[in-house]
Amino acid sequence: MENRPVGTRQARELLRVAFGPSIVALVIIAAVVLLQLLIANSDMTGASGAIASMWLGVHQVPVSIGGRELGVMPLLPMLAMVWGTARTTAAATAPQGSWFVIRWVVASAVGGPLLIAAISLAIIHDAASVITELQTPNALRAFGSVLLVHAIGAGIGVASKVGRRVLAASPLPRWLPEAIRAAFAGMLALVGLSGLATAGSLVVHWSTMHELYSITDSVFGQFSLTVLSVLYAPNVIIGTSAVAVGSSAHVGLATFSSFTVFGGDIPALPILAAVPTPPLGPVWVALLIIAAVSGVAVGQQCARRPLPLGQAMAKLGVAALLAAVTMALLAHAGSGRLGNFGDVGVDQATFGPAVFLWFAGIGGLTVAMAGGIARRPKTARVVEPEPEEPAFEQPEEPAEPEEPAEPELELDEPEPEPEPVAPPMPLDDEPAPAEDPEEHFIVDDDVDDHGGQERSDPGMDHGASGDQSRGAAD
């Protein structure tokens, strides 16, 4: 954690947001320009004008040299500038920060590049007085392009931090982030598969690409062509995406689509070896599979959380519309005039609608098949019983009084005699009671009438016989 005061730390972050991405771009452009002039053994007279022109070209500002306009600028530097602005803006934005600070962050992300754009226009105007072939670009177009590029980057960076908070406090539907994610997934699938198709076409047309490299014999020249091909690769991929959805791309008079190809002159850029050559083979029609797969990706993302029919279709429509608008903006940014070759780009009248139709049509079918439409639970229907019509009632006869029942005589039953209870058996642990010695004596009352003895215990016989024997002996 930094020990600087809050004001100093915030000022440093605002400066980084305002000038960080632009300064990095200027350093890279200056290194490339100075290396080019050094290799060409040229003086540094027009170095400042070239650096300023290239910085504006990163923001899709056309550059005019010798009366020839270079309007189609590479998309890769512009996308890198948007990413850098979004990253620095997101780093300076707190998720629970105040709107006052957020407004200052956005103002810094836009104001710094506008200041550099004004300085660049002044440098180009001053260099044009020395180098007559260099022309000052349109100021309104320059400020507008710089403002749009950095505003998009700042919006993406701020939305990544406070987007959920704004959505929770707004009346917007809760499925809006899911629609944005679905649109991004569809565009990523379309651009990625189109890039694979472009790479495969380069392999097929390897001999044509080798011929385009042969226009220069120096290693540095071939390296420069490779760098230009990499910078213009997103432009070619966007053109392939237009062909995949059924639209068309053109380079001057040469037109390319999935159904027809019209030949023409193309620039000597190795990446352009990927364009099809007439006659058109059936393999290019298979590019339509790319559009179908991209539509499936949109539908799968929209079906992740099932919604009722109306909301599910609304989410799919917003995702398809957002993807179509974004692809149309990218195609417009990658289009322009290329000197004597004419206009380069895609057919804007059909590209955006074609993307929307593919994403909405195939995506809607995917949503329906993947269970993205929630069915409403069936409510039990309560059937009220119909009131019964009263039947014809006959008059009831008076009931006869019942005679009282005679009381029944209860007989006293003899109570059962209680059964004798056996004495408890002595426990093994308790000692047996001692016997009474008087029980072994015989008295006269014990002799019955027949002259016999009443024996109460078997042990008493033995004792009586012993006494009689002793009496006889006496």
Side-chain angles (χ1 to χ4, degrees):
M1 184 175 179
E2 296 183 1
N3 296 326
R4 298 183 179 87
V6 177
T8 304
R9 187 168 62 251
Q10 289 182 350
R12 183 179 180 182
E13 291 178 354
L14 292 179
L15 287 175
R16 186 186 299 112
V17 170
F19 300 105
S22 299
I23 294 298
V24 171
L26 282 174
V27 170
I28 296 175
I29 291 171
V32 172
V33 170
L34 293 177
L35 183 61
Q36 289 276 1
L37 294 177
L38 182 62
I39 293 176
N41 293 326
S42 177
D43 53 2
M44 302 297 174
T45 304
S48 59
I51 294 172
S53 299
M54 292 182 66
W55 187 87
L56 291 176
V58 169
H59 298 81
Q60 305 301 308
V61 178
V63 178
S64 298
I65 301 176
R68 298 177 182 178
E69 181 182 353
L70 179 60
V72 50
M73 305 303 293
L75 284 176
L76 186 60
M78 185 204 70
L79 295 176
M81 183 65 70
V82 171
W83 176 80
T85 304
R87 188 172 181 272
T88 54
T89 305
T93 303
Q96 301 298 330
S98 64
W99 292 109
F100 178 77
V101 177
I102 293 175
R103 285 195 295 267
W104 271 105
V105 171
V106 175
S108 300
V110 174
L114 288 177
L115 177 61
I116 297 179
I119 297 175
S120 299
L121 288 174
I123 292 175
I124 294 174
H125 183 73
D126 182 67
S129 61
V130 179
I131 305 175
T132 57
E133 294 182 355
L134 184 63
Q135 299 177 4
T136 305
N138 187 0
L140 183 61
R141 172 69 184 273
F143 285 118
S145 298
V146 172
L147 176 64
L148 182 61
V149 168
H150 289 272
I152 292 175
I156 295 174
V158 171
S160 64
K161 292 293 184 178
V162 299
R164 296 185 180 275
R165 188 178 69 175
V166 173
L167 182 62
S170 65
L172 296 175
R174 296 296 180 266
W175 45 257
L176 187 59
E178 299 176 4
I180 297 175
R181 183 167 54 248
F184 179 76
M187 290 187 298
L188 185 63
L190 181 60
V191 173
L193 294 176
S194 299
L196 292 178
T198 302
S201 180
L202 285 175
V203 174
V204 173
H205 300 90
W206 186 264
S207 59
T208 304
M209 186 174 60
H210 186 267
E211 292 177 0
L212 295 176
Y213 268 113
S214 62
I215 61 175
T216 177
D217 296 333
S218 63
V219 177
F220 183 76
Q222 293 181 355
F223 175 76
S224 301
L225 289 176
T226 303
V227 172
L228 283 177
S229 298
V230 172
L231 295 178
Y232 277 99
N235 302 58
V236 179
I237 293 175
I238 294 296
T240 307
S241 302
V243 175
V245 297
S247 183
S248 61
H250 57 273
V251 180
L253 297 177
T255 306
F256 312 97
S257 69
S258 296
F259 309 101
T260 57
V261 173
F262 296 101
D265 295 335
I266 61 174
L269 193 63
I271 190 65
L272 294 179
V275 299
T277 55
L280 182 65
V283 66
W284 287 97
V285 183
L287 285 177
L288 299 177
I289 301 176
I290 295 177
V293 173
S294 303
V296 170
V298 175
Q300 287 180 345
Q301 291 296 322
C302 290
R304 292 181 63 182
R305 189 168 67 92
L307 294 174
L309 179 60
Q311 298 182 13
M313 293 298 102
K315 180 169 66 174
L316 177 63
V318 170
L321 181 62
L322 182 62
V325 171
T326 305
M327 294 298 295
L329 288 176
L330 289 175
H332 178 73
S335 303
R337 187 169 184 83
L338 186 59
N340 296 331
F341 290 96
D343 294 331
V344 177
V346 301
D347 187 7
Q348 292 288 346
T350 58
F351 182 47
V355 173
F356 178 81
L357 291 177
W358 276 103
F359 285 6
I362 302 298
L365 184 61
T366 305
V367 168
M369 296 179 63
I373 301 176
R375 298 180 180 179
R376 295 182 179 178
K378 296 182 179 180
T379 57
R381 184 178 180 183
V382 180
V383 180
E384 298 181 356
E386 298 180 358
E388 298 180 357
E389 296 181 0
F392 178 73
E393 298 180 356
Q394 297 180 357
E396 297 181 357
E397 297 179 357
E400 297 180 358
E402 298 180 357
E403 297 180 357
E406 296 182 358
E408 297 181 357
L409 297 178
E410 296 181 357
L411 299 179
D412 295 335
E413 295 180 358
E415 296 181 357
E417 296 181 358
E419 297 180 357
V421 180
M425 299 296 293
L427 299 176
D428 295 338
D429 298 336
E430 296 180 359
E435 295 181 357
D436 190 358
E438 293 182 357
E439 293 180 357
H440 299 280
F441 291 100
I442 300 173
V443 294
D444 295 338
D445 293 339
D446 294 335
V447 180
D448 55 0
D449 296 338
H450 299 283
Q453 286 181 334
E454 182 180 359
R455 297 179 181 181
S456 61
D457 188 48
M460 296 174 58
D461 297 339
H462 179 72
S465 59
D467 293 342
Q468 289 178 0
S469 62
R470 284 194 300 267
D474 294 337

